[in-house]
């Protein structure tokens, strides 16, 4: 068998095994998901079994882990201390800062909701702004290019503005991590996967990462959204999807079979309306 074909076949088998052994996670909002579609979060927190991941996402995930490890290994090599991590004998890095906290949210309609959040930090690092949450992101050529253009135009302020607009996942994740850690600033390090470079560069500004400050208004927005989803979970009524059918986010969602796919089957009069996308798992054709 072709070695690459064999590798992907094995990864596909692993992905199916993962959902066969699926167990619902604690009903907390993860820092990395707070900008996700509310319906996607609803299904995860309701304990729904996700579809098997496409094998292409395996490699993407491995690359993300490598990006994180390389950045922290480079910091360690050059004497830059990162707290909350452990360097392993095999060269990997393990995060040791796993945080969780419950917050009480009062909605505009007066309803009071307890919502739990969790975060696993990439580390804590000292910069000229003091102790900061360390957030590392690996991106492809185009995403990095336009962030780096903003670095050249207006430095940190310009990059943070683009992150808020184009990378809301990052921005909101940072807010949750800061709230749970008690730190007021995040140091964002972006790795260009096409060149391997860490951080941004401009001939006049030089090299650097960027600082993201805690944003109280954004945190309130996150909490209100979480409260809405929590009430929906308790009521068993999924919120409306915020992603268009066929969008990139929707196509990668493990719960689309309970969302747009189900709606399409219902419109077409097909039974059953919900068709789990894993014939190897539950017998559907």
């Amino acid at each position: 068998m072709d070695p690459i074909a064999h590798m992907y076949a094995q990864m596909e088998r692993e992905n199916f095994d993962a959902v066969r052994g699926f167990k619902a996670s604690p009903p907390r909002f993860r820092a990395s998901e707070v900008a996700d579609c509310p319906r996607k979060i609803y299904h995860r927190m309701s304990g729904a079994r996700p579809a098997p991941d496409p094998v292409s996402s395996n490699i993407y995930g491995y690359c993300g882990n490598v990006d994180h490890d390389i950045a922290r290994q480079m910091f360690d090599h050059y004497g830059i201390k990162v707290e909350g991590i452990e360097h392993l004998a095999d060269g990997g890095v393990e995060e040791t800062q796993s945080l969780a906290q419950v917050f009480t949210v009062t909605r505009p309609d007066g309803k009071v909701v307890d919502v739990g959040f969790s975060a696993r930090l990439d580390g804590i690092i000292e910069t000229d702004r003091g102790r900061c949450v360390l957030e590392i992101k690996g991106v492809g050529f185009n995403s990095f290019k336009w962030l780096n253009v903003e670095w050249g135009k207006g430095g940190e302020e310009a990059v943070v503005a683009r992150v808020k607009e184009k990378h809301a996942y990052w921005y909101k994740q940072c807010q949750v991590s800061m709230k749970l850690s008690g730190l007021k600033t995040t140091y964002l390090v972006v790795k260009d996967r096409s060149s391997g470079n860490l951080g941004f560069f401009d001939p006049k500004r030089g090299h650097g990462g960027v600082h993201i400050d805690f944003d109280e208004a954004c945190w309130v927005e996150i909490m209100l959204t979480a409260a809405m989803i929590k009430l929906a979970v308790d009521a068993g009524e999924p919120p409306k999807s915020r992603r268009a059918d066929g969008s990139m986010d929707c196509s990668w969602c493990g719960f689309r079979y309970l969302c747009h796919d189900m709606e399409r089957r219902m419109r077409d009069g097909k039974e059953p309306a919900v068709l789990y996308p894993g014939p190897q798992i539950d017998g559907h054709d």
Side-chain angles (χ1 to χ4, degrees):
M1 186 177 187
D2 181 280
I4 293 294
H6 177 73
M7 180 183 73
Y8 276 96
Q10 294 297 311
M11 286 194 290
E12 184 175 53
R13 186 173 295 112
E14 290 174 351
N15 291 355
F16 276 104
D17 286 343
V19 296
R20 286 191 184 99
F22 169 76
K23 294 182 180 178
S25 57
R28 293 192 292 259
F29 293 87
R30 301 167 180 166
S32 59
E33 75 175 356
V34 292
D36 272 343
C37 172
R39 180 174 277 195
K40 177 181 179 181
I41 302 172
Y42 165 90
H43 287 307
R44 183 191 67 77
M45 292 188 65
S46 298
R49 184 175 62 183
D53 288 332
V55 291
S56 55
S57 70
N58 291 50
I59 299 295
Y60 190 83
Y62 299 152
C63 288
N65 293 337
V66 169
D67 291 334
H68 284 68
D69 289 352
I70 287 174
R72 292 176 294 198
Q73 288 163 356
M74 293 289 285
F75 284 141
D76 182 63
H77 180 76
Y78 288 101
I80 301 165
K81 182 175 176 54
V82 177
E83 302 174 36
I85 62 171
E86 180 182 351
H87 290 274
L88 306 178
D90 63 2
V93 180
E94 184 175 274
E95 293 98 358
T96 60
Q97 288 276 352
S98 293
L99 309 173
Q101 190 172 343
V102 175
F103 297 87
T104 299
V105 183
T106 301
R107 288 164 35 106
D109 61 7
K111 290 183 179 178
V112 178
V113 186
D114 289 333
V115 292
F117 290 88
S118 63
R120 188 174 63 183
L121 306 187
D122 292 340
I124 297 173
I125 194 168
E126 187 86 22
T127 76
D128 55 356
R129 298 274 299 275
R131 293 175 77 245
C132 304
V133 171
L134 173 63
E135 185 61 47
I136 302 166
K137 296 296 183 186
V139 297
F141 174 80
N142 282 324
S143 293
F144 186 86
K145 171 188 173 182
W146 293 113
L147 287 165
N148 200 63
V149 165
E150 295 301 323
W151 173 258
K153 286 181 179 178
E156 290 191 68
E157 185 177 348
V159 173
V160 172
R162 184 170 181 85
V163 168
K164 288 178 71 173
E165 179 185 0
K166 300 294 185 180
H167 303 279
Y169 285 88
W170 304 358
Y171 190 79
K172 291 186 176 182
Q173 179 180 356
C174 290
Q175 302 306 319
V176 176
S177 295
M178 285 186 278
K179 188 67 178 181
L180 296 186
S181 67
L183 299 173
K184 297 299 183 183
T185 308
T186 294
Y187 185 65
L188 174 66
V189 176
V190 181
K191 182 177 182 295
D192 178 8
R193 288 178 177 169
S194 66
S195 68
N197 284 325
L198 288 171
F200 305 114
F201 174 74
D202 177 77
K204 294 182 179 179
R205 295 185 184 277
H207 294 274
V210 299
H211 295 85
I212 296 175
D213 293 319
F214 181 70
D215 183 338
E216 182 67 31
C218 182
W219 171 245
V220 170
E221 177 190 339
I222 291 168
M223 286 201 299
L224 289 174
T225 300
M228 178 272 290
I229 297 171
K230 177 65 162 52
L231 288 173
V233 171
D234 292 344
E237 299 176 356
K240 183 177 176 60
S241 173
R242 291 185 183 175
R243 303 292 189 267
D245 190 9
S247 66
M248 181 67 73
D249 285 341
C250 181
S251 66
W252 284 88
C253 178
F255 301 108
R256 64 168 294 122
Y257 76 95
L258 290 168
C259 185
H260 291 304
D261 288 354
M262 179 187 70
E263 292 168 356
R264 188 181 302 108
R265 290 182 66 82
M266 291 177 68
R267 287 196 304 269
D268 294 344
K270 294 181 178 179
E271 293 291 346
V274 178
L275 190 65
Y276 185 75
Q280 298 92 325
I281 295 172
D282 65 1
H284 281 321
D285 293 326

